[in-house]
């Protein structure tokens, strides 16, 4: 299948190092990595191995030192900050470990956020938001604030926010890291459904082998290099 | 629209912190406005002074008197219309805290020279005819509930003893700035008493008030008067009423400048405090800003959000301060009336108050706005959890 269709993510010779004063800490060294459309990929590896760094690079919220990253045929390493922001708004959905909902906004308003950057009018935005909240099973919690929701529910709101602009690719950094077993299972099932039913491509960083099992492909990152299991 | 809603919600997020900052800005703005008004009033006495009135006083110092015998010679100077005279009496009513300006004056000339003291013809006549009569300004009469015909007893300080007067008239000022907290009585009454009790203090006046035909003549008339008494025992210093007031003002100019500096310092201090609060707020929300950026919001959006909140807080404080200025000014007018006959805050000052508040908002917003708008997303996201 990977050969049949063009990969949606195409990473070539990607390197990234952090500088701490005079010290240079190489994190990624010459990574090559393709992800096919509709794939569910789990990224594993020890703490500090650079999983989040790689994910951030794919999602266009960090900049590489060297190499190329193409996402749906867009070379994102050469985009300027403003273009990159616009690209992110339409092309990637983010799911964070700590949900990152805005506490002063309701579930509805949080999900609506990415749509404020589009040309949709109020009524269209409402339709979109209600539709995705329905997908994550929280249509009845629209007016609740994050503090009034459980961790699992908050993460589902965050997933609704990630898919509301209908991006092809979703990135998730330890999306179940802060949840109990039952909630984690629900979140994983939801992500699985997004892949199967809605054809999304998901890249998920996780420590949890049970979570990784849900993925089609597991890649290990160690000492700056990727390996297949 | 969304940004406004978000700003509003953020304002209520740390209710106590927001309220304290708003109140802080309000108090600072209020203090700024009142201090500015105070300084303005100090100079306004001189601004409202007549330029056809000269004041002749002892050249050495205000506290030394002049002989009454100078009167006729001053009258003889060409360009002079009317001459009156008076002495600072310095008595109080019942208790020392009930202190107000009171002068022993020659009433006929005085009334001519001070047309801004408006008195009905009957009251004026009654006053002129009664040697123990006095008149007071409306504000003063209101303060002590005096009515025409009342017997008023003052306790002397410079001229010891109990002094009894009959209130013959209550004048009101032609303009708002006209002094209405004065008591005036017959210099003759004072002088006759002095003749009987302390003869060496009799036949002396504190100052002469000299009316001139035209303002242009004032400098020449002043020179002519002073040269009359050159090399005499009591040399004179004649100046326009305005200059006379300014000599008071200049004595206290350093204090006024200090007050002015303090008024700006108050704003500077609240600026620092508000900036610290905003920086703290923005630091707490760095993760949130990074999240918004991740979703595709740009530096400009975040700048609007943070800067908007900072300006909103300060503007609220400014409005509150401006609103509080009115009751504060009227309180000062009634409670501190012996120092400030009137305390009206100019619209210019109110505008400056708002501008000061806005500048607090702008300055305190700059750093957090810059931080929030330029935060690296990956760094900001690490602050969550
Ligand atoms: N801003 C930074 N400055 C310096 N070093 C950094 C910075 N961000 C990350 N690093 C370093 O880069 C390496 C990779 O970090 P990264 O967050 O990608 O790891 P990770 O695999 O996601 O770890 P974890 O599983 O603990 O989340 C770590 O050694 C980390 O210390
Ligand atoms: Mg990580």
């Amino acid at each position: 299948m990977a050969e049949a269709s063009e990969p949606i993510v195409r990473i070539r010779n990607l390197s990234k190092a952090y500088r701490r004063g005079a010290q240079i800490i190489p994190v990624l060294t010459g990574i090559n990595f393709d992800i096919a459309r509709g794939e569910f990929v789990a990224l594993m590896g020890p703490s500090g191995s650079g999983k989040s760094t790689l994910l951030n690079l794919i999602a266009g919220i960090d900049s590489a030192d060297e190499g190329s990253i193409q996402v749906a045929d867009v070379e994102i390493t050469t985009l300027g900050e403003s273009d990159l922001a616009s690209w992110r708004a339409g092309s990637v959905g983010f799911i964070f470990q700590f949900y990152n909902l805005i506490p002063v906004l309701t579930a509805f308003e949080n999900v609506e956020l990415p749509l404020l950057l589009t040309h949709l009018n109020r009524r269209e935005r409402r339709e979109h938001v209600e539709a995705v909240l329905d997908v994550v099973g929280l249509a009845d919690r629209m007016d609740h604030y994050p503090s009034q929701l459980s961790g699992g529910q908050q993460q589902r709101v965050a997933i609704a926010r990630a898919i509301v602009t209908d991006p092809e690719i979703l990135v998730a950094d330890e999306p179940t890291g802060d949840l109990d077993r039952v909630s984690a299972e629900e979140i994983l099932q939801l992500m699985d459904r997004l892949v199967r039913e809605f054809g999304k491509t998901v890249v998920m960083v996780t420590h949890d082998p049970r979570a990784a099992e849900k993925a089609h492909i597991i890649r290990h990152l160690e000492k700056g290099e990727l390996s297949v299991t | 629209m969304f940004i406004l809603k978000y700003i509003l919600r953020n304002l209520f997020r740390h209710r106590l912190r927001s309220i304290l900052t708003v109140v802080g800005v309000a108090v600072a703005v209020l203090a700024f406005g009142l201090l500015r008004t105070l300084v303005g009033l100090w100079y306004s006495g001189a601004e409202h002074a007549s330029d056809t009135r000269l004041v002749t006083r002892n050249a050495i110092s205000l506290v030394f008197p002049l002989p009454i015998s100078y009167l006729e010679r001053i009258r003889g100077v060409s360009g002079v219309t009317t001459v009156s005279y008076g002495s600072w009496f310095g008595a109080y009513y019942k208790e020392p805290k009930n202190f107000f300006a009171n002068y022993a004056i020659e009433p006929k000339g005085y009334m001519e020279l001070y047309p801004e003291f408006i008195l009905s013809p009957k009251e004026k006549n009654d006053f002129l005819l009664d040697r123990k009569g006095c008149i007071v300004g409306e504000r003063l009469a209101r303060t002590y509930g005096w009515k025409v015909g009342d017997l008023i007893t003052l306790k002397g300080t410079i001229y010891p003893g109990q002094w009894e007067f009959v209130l013959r008239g209550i004048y009101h000022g032609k303009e708002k700035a006209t002094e209405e907290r004065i008591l005036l009585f017959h210099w003759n009454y004072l002088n006759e008493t002095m003749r009987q009790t302390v003869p060496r203090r009799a036949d002396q006046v504190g100052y002469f008030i000299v009316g001139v035909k035209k303002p242009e003549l004032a400098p020449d008339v002043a020179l002519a008067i002073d040269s009359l008494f050159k090399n005499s025992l009591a040399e004179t210093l004649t100046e326009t009423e305005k200059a006379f007031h300014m000599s008071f003002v200049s004595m206290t100019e350093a204090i006024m400048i200090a007050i002015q500096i303090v008024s700006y310092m108050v704003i500077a201090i609240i600026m620092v405090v508000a900036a610290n609060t905003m920086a703290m707020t923005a630091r707490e929300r760095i993760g949130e800003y990074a999240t918004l950026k991740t979703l595709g919001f740009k530096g400009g959006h975040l700048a609007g959000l943070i800067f908007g909140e900072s300006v909103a807080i300060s503007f609220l404080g400014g409005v509150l301060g401006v609103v509080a200025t009115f009751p504060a000014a009227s309180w000062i007018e009634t409670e501190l009336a012996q120092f400030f006959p009137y305390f009206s805050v100019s619209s210019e000052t109110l505008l400056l108050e708002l501008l000061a508040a806005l500048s607090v908002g702008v300055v305190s917003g700059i750093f957090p706005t810059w931080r929030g708008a330029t935060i690296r997303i990956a760094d900001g996201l690490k602050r969550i959890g």
Side-chain angles (χ1 to χ4, degrees), chain B residues 249-274:
Chain B
V249 168
S250 67
M251 280 198 291
T252 48
E253 184 131 52
I255 297 173
M256 287 302 123
I257 289 171
I259 290 178
Q260 246 160 334
I261 292 172
V262 167
S263 75
Y264 288 111
M265 260 160 52
V266 168
I267 296 299
I269 290 168
I270 196 67
M271 226 171 232
V272 173
V273 172

Side-chain angles (χ1 to χ4, degrees), chain B residues 18-148:
Chain B
S18 297
I19 288 172
L20 287 178
T21 312
V22 166
V23 169
V25 173
V27 169
V29 157
L30 178 64
F32 174 76
L34 295 181
L35 290 175
R36 243 191 77 86
T37 304
L38 176 86
V39 172
L41 286 182
W42 202 256
Y43 291 103
S44 80
E47 273 157 28
H48 285 93
S50 159
D51 48 7
T52 55
R53 286 196 294 254
L54 295 173
V55 181
T56 300
R57 53 152 167 129
N58 191 303
I60 300 167
S61 163
L62 256 174
V63 301
F64 294 107
L66 293 170
I68 185 71
S69 58
Y70 283 11
L71 177 64
E72 285 312 318
R73 297 175 68 189
I74 294 175
R75 267 193 187 134
V77 174
S78 85
V80 170
T81 53
T82 317
V83 184
S84 183
Y85 47 88
S87 292
W88 171 249
F89 190 58
Y92 58 83
Y93 179 60
K94 286 183 178 165
E95 284 171 66
K97 77 172 172 65
N98 297 328
F99 182 78
F100 48 84
N102 42 75
Y103 301 91
I105 49 129
E106 178 280 303
K108 204 167 162 302
Y110 216 88
M111 303 279 45
E112 273 170 45
L113 285 167
Y114 285 87
E116 63 261 47
F117 291 3
I118 295 170
L119 204 56
S120 76
K122 182 191 178 310
E123 289 183 353
K124 185 171 171 180
N125 202 42
D126 289 351
F127 174 49
L128 291 178
L129 290 179
D130 183 358
R131 198 181 53 92
K132 288 179 82 171
C134 73
I135 56 169
V136 299
E138 224 164 27
R139 291 185 71 92
L140 190 62
R142 221 180 304 138
T143 308
Y144 299 114
W146 290 333
K147 309 228 163 9
V148 172

Side-chain angles (χ1 to χ4, degrees), chain A residues 16 56 61-62 81-82 85-86 88-89 94 96 98 100 102-106 109 113-114 116-117 145 161, chain B residues 2 5-6 9-10 13 287-288 291-298 301 373 375-378 381-382 384-385:
Chain A
K16 168 98 182 161
N56 288 347
I61 55 177
D62 208 345
E81 197 176 325
S82 173
S86 307
R88 279 196 306 273
F94 300 83
F96 306 91
F98 300 105
N100 292 21
I102 308 296
V104 289
L105 302 180
T106 62
E109 290 163 340
L113 273 176
L116 297 170
L117 297 168
Y145 286 91
R161 180 177 69 184
Chain B
F2 161 74
K5 179 168 76 182
Y6 198 170
R9 301 257 182 99
N10 275 337
R13 207 153 157 180
E288 223 168 288
T291 303
L292 287 172
K293 275 194 155 184
T294 305
L295 297 180
F297 288 89
K298 296 180 183 172
H301 294 115
I375 175 82
R376 278 191 65 241
I377 300 174
L381 289 176
K382 283 200 189 119
I384 295 182

Side-chain angles (χ1 to χ4, degrees), chain A residues 51-53 173-174 205 207:
Chain A
K51 305 180 295 294
S52 296
T53 303
D173 197 344
E174 302 189 39
V205 167
H207 274 119

